[in-house]
């Protein structure tokens, strides 16, 4: 997290310096201008000196701009497939880094950040309501870690219902997953419906590295599916093609996502790839907020 925070500081410097767009008007500290008084305006915002120039008819009120306080709800995949990987590098690591990048980006823009984790049945495992602050971000990341380790029990509530229960207004919803679901098209359809209310886009963890297994001398290999619990015997050639098949599946998910008007950003374990994805994510957020 500290490493991600350091290069976020470097890459986001150009975005955080100066003013950034806000659609919220209110009792902030940034003076925008003056206008005629309207019912509901605070008396403390009345510019009495300016109002006296036109004999207090109408009253003139000062208008301020406050920093945006939009909600971001990261929907993170904690299914068993995210525990797969090579040595210490797991798919869950890439997802956790993406959650941290999204959360730190929200923290710099003073936005509320929350998280919803889900299992292979697209059911909510755990959730944290959107709040502001670095300590809350660390809690969200730890909550995701606990979900991956199986220290939290999944309920029967659908993820879409879980997201709706976390936010009352339109929110930014990055869905972070490897998308290795057998019913990916159905899930994308549900997310597309959610996109009509909230701003949903996909952060796809590149899973190729987890299936790029070393070459073996055996002609036949027993392969265990961690989510379905089934075992299958594959030839050495088929095992060698697992990485290509995982990439082909994720490419197909990207195509299906485009068909239902969902944007996709791919993230991986490589630091520079993550940095590039972060810049894309930040630029996308600024575009959507404006």
């Amino acid at each position: 997290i500290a490493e991600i925070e350091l290069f976020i500081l470097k890459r986001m410097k150009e975005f955080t310096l100066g003013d950034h767009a806000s659609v919220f008007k209110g009792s902030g500290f940034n003076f925008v201008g003056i206008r005629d008084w309207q019912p509901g305006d605070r008396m403390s915002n009345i510019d009495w000196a300016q109002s006296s120039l036109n004999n207090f008819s109408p009253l003139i009120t000062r208008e301020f701009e406050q920093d945006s306080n939009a909600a971001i709800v990261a929907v993170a995949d904690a299914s068993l497939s995210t525990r797969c990987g090579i040595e210490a590098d797991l798919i869950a690591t890439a997802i956790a880094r993406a959650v941290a990048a999204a959360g730190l980006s929200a923290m710099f823009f003073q936005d509320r950040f929350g998280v919803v984790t889900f299992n292979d049945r697209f059911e909510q495992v755990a959730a944290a309501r959107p709040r502001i602050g670095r300590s809350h971000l660390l809690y969200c990341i730890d909550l995701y870690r606990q979900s991956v380790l199986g220290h939290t029990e999944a309920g029967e509530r659908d993820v879409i219902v879980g997201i709706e229960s976390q936010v009352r207004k339109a929110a930014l919803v990055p869905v972070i997953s490897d998308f290795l679901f057998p019913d990916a098209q159905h899930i994308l359809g549900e997310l597309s419906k959610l996109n009509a209310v909230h701003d949903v886009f996909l952060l796809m963890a590149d899973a190729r590295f987890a299936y790029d297994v070393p070459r073996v001398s055996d002609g036949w290999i027993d392969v265990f599916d961690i989510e379905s619990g089934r075992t299958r015997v594959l030839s050495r050639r088929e095992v060698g093609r697992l990485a290509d098949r995982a990439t082909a599946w994720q490419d197909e998910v990207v195509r299906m996502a485009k068909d239902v008007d969902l944007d996709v950003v791919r993230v991986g374990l490589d630091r520079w790839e993550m940095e590039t994805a972060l810049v894309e994510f930040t630029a996308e957020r600024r575009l959507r907020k404006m």
Side-chain angles (χ1 to χ4, degrees):
I1 295 172
E3 181 186 70
I4 294 172
E5 190 170 17
L6 284 174
F7 64 71
I8 281 182
L9 279 169
K10 180 181 70 174
R11 293 296 249 170
M12 293 188 65
K13 186 177 181 181
E14 59 181 295
F15 296 112
T16 54
L17 287 178
D19 295 331
H20 57 276
S22 172
V23 296
F24 296 92
K25 296 292 190 297
S27 55
F29 296 98
N30 304 317
F31 178 73
V32 176
I34 58 176
R35 58 172 172 79
D36 292 346
W37 182 87
Q38 296 176 356
D41 289 344
R42 294 185 178 183
M43 296 296 293
S44 59
N45 288 345
I46 294 177
D47 191 332
W48 296 104
Q50 191 70 28
S51 299
S52 65
L53 298 178
N54 54 3
N55 201 25
F56 303 100
S57 180
L59 292 172
I60 303 299
T61 183
R62 294 186 295 268
E63 191 173 33
F64 298 89
E65 183 179 76
Q66 65 183 26
D67 294 329
S68 96
N69 193 21
I72 299 178
V73 179
V75 183
D77 186 358
S79 61
L80 293 175
S81 67
T82 61
R83 302 185 193 182
C84 299
I86 303 296
E87 295 180 350
D89 294 332
L90 308 179
I91 296 175
T93 304
I95 295 176
R97 288 192 177 191
V99 171
L104 287 167
S105 173
M107 187 178 71
F108 274 97
F109 284 100
Q110 299 180 354
D111 293 331
R112 292 177 294 127
F113 180 77
V115 67
V116 174
T117 63
F118 64 91
N119 58 18
D120 56 296
R121 296 184 298 277
F122 209 57
E123 295 174 343
Q124 177 180 312
V125 177
R129 288 189 176 277
R131 293 182 180 177
I132 297 176
R134 191 175 187 275
S135 60
H136 180 67
L137 168 61
L138 296 177
Y139 169 73
C140 290
I141 297 173
D142 186 63
L143 187 66
Y144 174 70
R145 183 180 69 88
Q146 297 292 338
S147 300
V148 172
L149 294 177
H151 294 171
T152 53
E153 296 183 1
E156 297 181 355
R157 183 161 59 175
D158 184 79
V159 170
I160 304 299
V161 178
I163 296 171
E164 292 288 356
S165 67
Q166 298 298 316
V167 289
R168 297 180 180 178
K169 298 181 180 179
L172 190 69
V173 183
V175 182
I176 311 170
S177 172
D178 54 16
F179 294 96
L180 299 179
F181 310 121
D183 56 345
Q185 189 167 12
H186 171 71
I187 292 175
L188 292 176
E190 293 297 313
L191 293 175
S192 177
K193 295 176 183 177
L194 184 68
N195 194 37
V197 179
H198 300 283
D199 194 355
V200 181
F201 69 99
L202 313 181
L203 288 172
M204 176 180 287
D206 192 345
R208 180 183 178 86
F209 75 95
Y211 297 91
D212 194 8
V213 297
R215 297 178 64 88
V216 295
S217 58
D218 294 340
W220 300 95
I221 299 99
D222 286 333
V223 179
F224 175 72
D225 188 336
I226 192 172
E227 290 189 345
S228 67
R230 292 180 296 181
T231 302
R232 183 177 176 184
V233 178
L234 298 180
S235 67
R236 179 172 56 187
R237 174 181 289 185
E238 288 177 322
V239 171
R241 293 174 54 195
L242 284 177
D244 292 334
R245 293 183 64 181
T247 299
W249 175 257
Q250 290 192 319
D251 290 340
E252 178 65 15
V253 171
V254 171
R255 185 194 64 78
M256 290 189 293
K258 296 295 184 181
D259 289 342
V260 293
D261 295 326
L262 291 174
D263 295 328
V264 183
V265 176
R266 286 197 173 186
V267 295
L269 287 174
D270 184 82
R271 171 179 173 178
W272 304 112
E273 289 180 359
M274 170 62 74
E275 194 168 339
T276 303
L278 172 66
V279 172
E280 293 180 12
F281 174 78
T282 305
E284 186 75 14
R285 283 196 62 247
R286 284 179 58 81
L287 225 85
R288 292 170 187 268
K289 289 178 70 175
M290 292 171 64

